[in-house]
Amino acid sequence: MRKWHRWLSLVFGIVLVFVTVTGLLHYVVAWWPAEPPTAAALAAREPPAGFVCPEGWRCSPPRGRPALGIDLGFVHHLHSGSEGGVWGEIVVMLSGLALLFFSVSGLWMYLRMWRARRAKGKRRGLFWT
């Protein structure tokens, strides 16, 4: 199990770091306050004459320039892998499965080592040095 854990971490570690960074960037961009729209931007984005917001929908005024100058949709597409097409989505999906594998195999290896130490009568804590 350790061999698989070690080799898969080398392959998927880079992808998992990329997914982590783009996920954090996604939240930074989403939470960063956007600049208020200028009067010219509001005038250019006004709905056509006679437009009424559909019932049950919430129509809001256009936002200003995206936070930090980064488009949230683009960051989301990077994070989900859709910018890389089908292959990008497959790699992101496999990295998610690899993360699940790392969690389960790491816990399994820890429990085996903990039981082996307990059977030998060594230190009894959950963590050891």
Side-chain angles (χ1 to χ4, degrees):
M1 183 64 67
R2 283 186 187 187
K3 181 175 121 181
W4 283 101
H5 194 92
R6 185 174 30 245
W7 282 105
L8 284 175
S9 68
L10 287 175
V11 173
F12 286 106
I14 295 168
V15 178
L16 290 172
V17 167
F18 176 77
V19 170
T20 302
V21 169
T22 56
L24 290 172
L25 184 62
H26 184 274
Y27 279 105
V28 166
V29 171
W31 291 344
W32 200 273
E35 294 178 6
T38 62
L42 286 173
R45 291 187 175 178
E46 282 189 15
F51 174 80
V52 178
C53 188
E55 187 175 331
W57 287 57
R58 185 182 72 186
C59 296
S60 58
R63 290 183 60 181
R65 194 173 133 248
L68 304 174
I70 302 171
D71 182 28
L72 184 61
F74 176 68
V75 174
H76 175 74
H77 289 294
L78 278 178
H79 180 69
S80 67
S82 59
E83 280 294 316
V86 173
W87 289 108
E89 291 175 354
I90 288 172
V91 168
V92 169
M93 182 190 63
L94 289 176
S95 67
L97 291 173
L99 186 57
L100 178 65
F101 170 76
F102 295 146
S103 301
V104 173
S105 65
L107 183 61
W108 182 70
M109 287 187 296
Y110 174 81
L111 289 174
R112 284 186 59 195
M113 291 188 316
W114 183 76
R115 286 181 186 153
R117 286 187 64 80
R118 192 175 73 177
K120 291 179 183 177
K122 297 205 176 175
R123 195 168 169 191
R124 294 218 177 247
L126 286 175
F127 306 103
W128 58 85
T129 57

